[in-house]
mmCIF file of all heavy atoms in Angstrom:
data_model
loop_
_atom_site.group_PDB
_atom_site.id
_atom_site.type_symbol
_atom_site.label_atom_id
_atom_site.label_comp_id
_atom_site.label_asym_id
_atom_site.label_seq_id
_atom_site.Cartn_x
_atom_site.Cartn_y
_atom_site.Cartn_z
ATOM 1 N N SER A 271 9.943 -15.056 -9.891
ATOM 2 C CA SER A 271 10.858 -13.922 -10.113
ATOM 3 C C SER A 271 12.182 -14.367 -10.701
ATOM 4 O O SER A 271 12.753 -13.686 -11.555
ATOM 5 C CB SER A 271 11.142 -13.206 -8.800
ATOM 6 O OG SER A 271 9.962 -12.831 -8.195
ATOM 7 N N GLU A 272 12.671 -15.501 -10.222
ATOM 8 C CA GLU A 272 13.972 -15.968 -10.702
ATOM 9 C C GLU A 272 13.890 -16.302 -12.191
ATOM 10 O O GLU A 272 14.798 -15.957 -12.961
ATOM 11 C CB GLU A 272 14.405 -17.200 -9.909
ATOM 12 C CG GLU A 272 15.660 -16.928 -9.105
ATOM 13 C CD GLU A 272 15.998 -18.074 -8.165
ATOM 14 O OE1 GLU A 272 15.628 -19.230 -8.432
ATOM 15 O OE2 GLU A 272 16.629 -17.786 -7.143
ATOM 16 N N ALA A 273 12.796 -16.941 -12.585
ATOM 17 C CA ALA A 273 12.615 -17.284 -14.000
ATOM 18 C C ALA A 273 12.528 -16.018 -14.844
ATOM 19 O O ALA A 273 13.101 -15.930 -15.932
ATOM 20 C CB ALA A 273 11.354 -18.130 -14.166
ATOM 21 N N GLU A 274 11.818 -15.013 -14.338
ATOM 22 C CA GLU A 274 11.693 -13.752 -15.076
ATOM 23 C C GLU A 274 13.058 -13.079 -15.232
ATOM 24 O O GLU A 274 13.384 -12.554 -16.296
ATOM 25 C CB GLU A 274 10.709 -12.820 -14.364
ATOM 26 C CG GLU A 274 10.524 -11.457 -15.026
ATOM 27 C CD GLU A 274 9.759 -11.507 -16.357
ATOM 28 O OE1 GLU A 274 9.191 -12.570 -16.692
ATOM 29 O OE2 GLU A 274 9.765 -10.492 -17.069
ATOM 30 N N ALA A 275 13.843 -13.114 -14.161
ATOM 31 C CA ALA A 275 15.186 -12.512 -14.233
ATOM 32 C C ALA A 275 16.007 -13.214 -15.302
ATOM 33 O O ALA A 275 16.693 -12.563 -16.104
ATOM 34 C CB ALA A 275 15.864 -12.611 -12.864
ATOM 35 N N LEU A 276 15.897 -14.532 -15.348
ATOM 36 C CA LEU A 276 16.651 -15.309 -16.348
ATOM 37 C C LEU A 276 16.213 -14.937 -17.766
ATOM 38 O O LEU A 276 17.041 -14.688 -18.646
ATOM 39 C CB LEU A 276 16.415 -16.800 -16.084
ATOM 40 C CG LEU A 276 17.178 -17.796 -16.939
ATOM 41 C CD1 LEU A 276 17.654 -18.938 -16.050
ATOM 42 C CD2 LEU A 276 16.350 -18.373 -18.058
ATOM 43 N N LEU A 277 14.909 -14.854 -17.982
ATOM 44 C CA LEU A 277 14.409 -14.539 -19.325
ATOM 45 C C LEU A 277 14.837 -13.140 -19.763
ATOM 46 O O LEU A 277 15.211 -12.915 -20.908
ATOM 47 C CB LEU A 277 12.884 -14.649 -19.362
ATOM 48 C CG LEU A 277 12.315 -16.064 -19.259
ATOM 49 C CD1 LEU A 277 10.791 -16.026 -19.216
ATOM 50 C CD2 LEU A 277 12.784 -16.923 -20.437
ATOM 51 N N ARG A 278 14.774 -12.187 -18.814
ATOM 52 C CA ARG A 278 15.141 -10.814 -19.199
ATOM 53 C C ARG A 278 16.628 -10.710 -19.504
ATOM 54 O O ARG A 278 17.024 -10.014 -20.435
ATOM 55 C CB ARG A 278 14.738 -9.831 -18.095
ATOM 56 C CG ARG A 278 13.236 -9.719 -17.961
ATOM 57 C CD ARG A 278 12.827 -8.424 -17.308
ATOM 58 N NE ARG A 278 11.426 -8.433 -16.951
ATOM 59 C CZ ARG A 278 10.730 -7.374 -16.572
ATOM 60 N NH1 ARG A 278 11.325 -6.200 -16.485
ATOM 61 N NH2 ARG A 278 9.457 -7.469 -16.262
ATOM 62 N N LYS A 279 17.424 -11.411 -18.729
ATOM 63 C CA LYS A 279 18.879 -11.382 -18.977
ATOM 64 C C LYS A 279 19.192 -12.017 -20.325
ATOM 65 O O LYS A 279 19.951 -11.478 -21.131
ATOM 66 C CB LYS A 279 19.626 -12.123 -17.869
ATOM 67 C CG LYS A 279 19.797 -11.287 -16.642
ATOM 68 C CD LYS A 279 21.048 -11.673 -15.837
ATOM 69 C CE LYS A 279 21.076 -10.896 -14.533
ATOM 70 N NZ LYS A 279 20.192 -11.524 -13.506
ATOM 71 N N ALA A 280 18.594 -13.175 -20.578
ATOM 72 C CA ALA A 280 18.859 -13.886 -21.833
ATOM 73 C C ALA A 280 18.367 -13.066 -23.025
ATOM 74 O O ALA A 280 18.994 -13.037 -24.083
ATOM 75 C CB ALA A 280 18.180 -15.254 -21.804
ATOM 76 N N SER A 281 17.276 -12.351 -22.825
ATOM 77 C CA SER A 281 16.743 -11.532 -23.906
ATOM 78 C C SER A 281 17.664 -10.335 -24.156
ATOM 79 O O SER A 281 17.921 -9.948 -25.290
ATOM 80 C CB SER A 281 15.327 -11.113 -23.536
ATOM 81 O OG SER A 281 15.029 -9.863 -24.012
ATOM 82 N N LYS A 282 18.204 -9.785 -23.070
ATOM 83 C CA LYS A 282 19.128 -8.651 -23.192
ATOM 84 C C LYS A 282 20.404 -9.062 -23.938
ATOM 85 O O LYS A 282 20.949 -8.302 -24.728
ATOM 86 C CB LYS A 282 19.487 -8.160 -21.786
ATOM 87 C CG LYS A 282 20.089 -6.772 -21.752
ATOM 88 C CD LYS A 282 20.152 -6.286 -20.316
ATOM 89 C CE LYS A 282 20.557 -4.835 -20.240
ATOM 90 N NZ LYS A 282 20.430 -4.338 -18.852
ATOM 91 N N LYS A 283 20.826 -10.306 -23.693
ATOM 92 C CA LYS A 283 22.039 -10.801 -24.355
ATOM 93 C C LYS A 283 21.778 -11.221 -25.793
ATOM 94 O O LYS A 283 22.691 -11.659 -26.497
ATOM 95 C CB LYS A 283 22.582 -12.019 -23.590
ATOM 96 C CG LYS A 283 23.326 -11.654 -22.334
ATOM 97 C CD LYS A 283 24.117 -12.857 -21.835
ATOM 98 C CE LYS A 283 24.762 -12.572 -20.498
ATOM 99 N NZ LYS A 283 24.662 -13.739 -19.602
ATOM 100 N N GLY A 284 20.511 -11.177 -26.211
ATOM 101 C CA GLY A 284 20.199 -11.549 -27.589
ATOM 102 C C GLY A 284 19.997 -13.033 -27.783
ATOM 103 O O GLY A 284 19.930 -13.518 -28.918
ATOM 104 N N VAL A 285 19.886 -13.779 -26.690
ATOM 105 C CA VAL A 285 19.694 -15.231 -26.796
ATOM 106 C C VAL A 285 18.240 -15.562 -27.160
ATOM 107 O O VAL A 285 17.967 -16.485 -27.912
ATOM 108 C CB VAL A 285 20.079 -15.915 -25.457
ATOM 109 C CG1 VAL A 285 19.730 -17.388 -25.463
ATOM 110 C CG2 VAL A 285 21.559 -15.701 -25.171
#
Side-chain angles (χ1 to χ4, degrees):
S271 305
E272 244 172 26
E274 179 71 10
L276 184 139
L277 290 176
R278 292 202 191 192
K279 280 208 186 81
S281 146
K282 197 169 188 172
K283 282 194 186 139
V285 173

